């Protein structure tokens, strides 16, 4: 069962040995960053008529209730009409295990979601489906998750050339402003946990958000283009762009790009 609240934060939380930097994080997850020529990676993808469901999981390797949610998220695949995003948070670190996938940015996003939904506290595991708290995720398949409404979803195209990814968002009359965010994703990650609530467990993760970068609001009445520069390319890396409402919390459209 999901925890109702996190344990209290200590007066002096443990220090995180490696400060988060986008390039450093990608290099660590890859094992060794692989630099490519600008012509080595060129691919693109576009949304179709039916937008996907967007599932955000807020999780931590320091939380004993989280592994079942992690396993459930791993079963959700983009080809089944779902964009799955695992945001690791850091507020369980004081129990003795530092979640190496947690960043200040991914932790702050959960607090942003809490404020937007009027929640009293953050908790793990929390599943946010299409911008709304979703507590009945256990046992649900990808096809049982409702997708985003097509009427409000703008067309979206992602194109990657070398280290640069460009998102092209079509104009839409559905609402005055759009915002969005980039999420760089990794799959097939694992940790042998030696301390904290999951001591002795071998945890596996997919859809892990390593780089999270919000994009400021723009006029939805005009087509828009934003770019993300990747500092390095690693095997298996995926890049997602999520179009949101002006507050940045409610998804309107989403797409994931994976270059072979």
């Amino acid at each position: 069962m999901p925890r109702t609240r996190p344990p209290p934060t200590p007066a002096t939380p443990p220090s995180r040995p490696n400060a988060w930097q986008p390039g450093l994080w990608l290099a660590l997850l890859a094992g060794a960053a692989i630099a490519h020529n600008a012509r080595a990676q060129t691919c693109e993808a576009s949304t179709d008529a039916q937008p996907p469901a967007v599932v955000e999981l807020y999780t931590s390797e320091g939380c004993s209730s989280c592994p079942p949610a992690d396993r459930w998220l791993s079963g959700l695949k983009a080809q089944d009409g779902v964009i799955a995003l695992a945001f690791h948070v850091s507020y369980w670190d004081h129990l003795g295990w530092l979640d190496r996938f947690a960043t200040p940015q991914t932790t702050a996003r959960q607090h942003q979601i809490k404020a937007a939904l009027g929640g009293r506290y953050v908790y793990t595991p929390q599943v946010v489906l299409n911008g709304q708290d979703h507590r009945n995720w256990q046992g649900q398949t990808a096809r049982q998750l409702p997708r985003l409404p097509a009427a409000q979803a703008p067309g979206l195209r992602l194109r990657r050339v070398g280290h640069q990814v460009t998102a092209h968002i079509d104009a839409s009359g559905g609402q005055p402003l759009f915002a969005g965010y980039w999420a760089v994703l990794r799959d097939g990650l694992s940790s042998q946990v030696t301390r904290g609530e999951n001591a002795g467990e071998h945890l596996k993760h997919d859809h892990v958000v390593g780089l999270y970068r919000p994009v400021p609001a723009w006029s939805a009445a005009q087509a828009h283009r934003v770019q993300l520069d990747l500092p390095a390319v690693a095997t298996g890396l995926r890049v997602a762009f999520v179009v949101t409402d002006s507050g940045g919390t409610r998804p309107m459209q989403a797409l994931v790009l994976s270059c072979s």
Side-chain angles (χ1 to χ4, degrees), residues 190-254:
S190 64
S191 295
Q192 184 64 47
V193 180
T194 59
R195 301 180 65 183
E197 290 193 347
N198 288 316
E201 296 292 329
H202 183 75
L203 304 181
K204 297 181 180 180
H205 311 290
D206 294 299
H207 315 297
V208 175
V209 177
L211 187 154
Y212 165 68
R213 182 169 297 172
V215 174
W218 67 87
S219 172
Q222 298 179 345
H224 192 62
R225 185 180 71 175
V226 292
Q227 292 181 327
L228 176 69
D229 291 322
L230 300 174
V233 178
T235 302
L237 180 149
R238 295 182 294 134
V239 180
F241 188 79
V242 180
V243 181
T244 70
D245 64 348
S246 60
T249 59
R250 183 165 62 91
M252 311 297 290
Q253 180 65 280

Side-chain angles (χ1 to χ4, degrees), residues 65-206:
S65 299
C66 289
D70 295 332
R71 291 191 292 269
W72 174 77
L73 196 78
S74 291
L76 303 180
K77 307 299 181 184
Q79 61 264 32
D80 295 325
V82 177
I83 303 298
L85 306 160
F87 289 85
H88 284 240
V89 298
S90 61
Y91 50 78
W92 286 96
D93 288 359
H94 70 272
L95 294 184
W97 178 257
L98 298 182
D99 188 331
R100 63 195 175 108
F101 306 122
T103 72
Q105 291 79 9
T106 53
T107 305
R109 175 158 180 85
Q110 189 182 23
H111 287 273
Q112 182 186 14
I113 293 287
K114 175 187 73 70
L117 297 180
R120 292 183 295 141
Y121 47 80
V122 293
Y123 69 94
T124 56
Q126 181 185 20
V127 173
V128 178
L129 172 62
N130 299 335
Q132 296 296 318
D133 199 36
H134 184 66
R135 293 177 180 257
N136 298 319
W137 52 267
Q138 294 95 331
Q140 287 193 318
T141 65
R143 294 189 178 184
Q144 292 174 315
L145 299 174
R147 297 194 181 191
L148 294 169
Q152 301 179 17
L156 172 62
R157 179 168 62 93
L158 297 181
R159 177 175 172 81
R160 176 173 171 176
V161 179
H163 298 170
Q164 189 173 81
V165 184
T166 304
H168 300 266
I169 306 98
D170 292 344
S172 174
Q175 61 178 38
L177 296 173
F178 285 139
Y181 64 84
W182 292 101
V184 176
L185 308 177
R186 289 283 299 178
D187 302 306
L189 304 177
S190 64
S191 295
Q192 184 64 47
V193 180
T194 59
R195 301 180 65 183
E197 290 193 347
N198 288 316
E201 296 292 329
H202 183 75
L203 304 181
K204 297 181 180 180
H205 311 290
D206 294 299

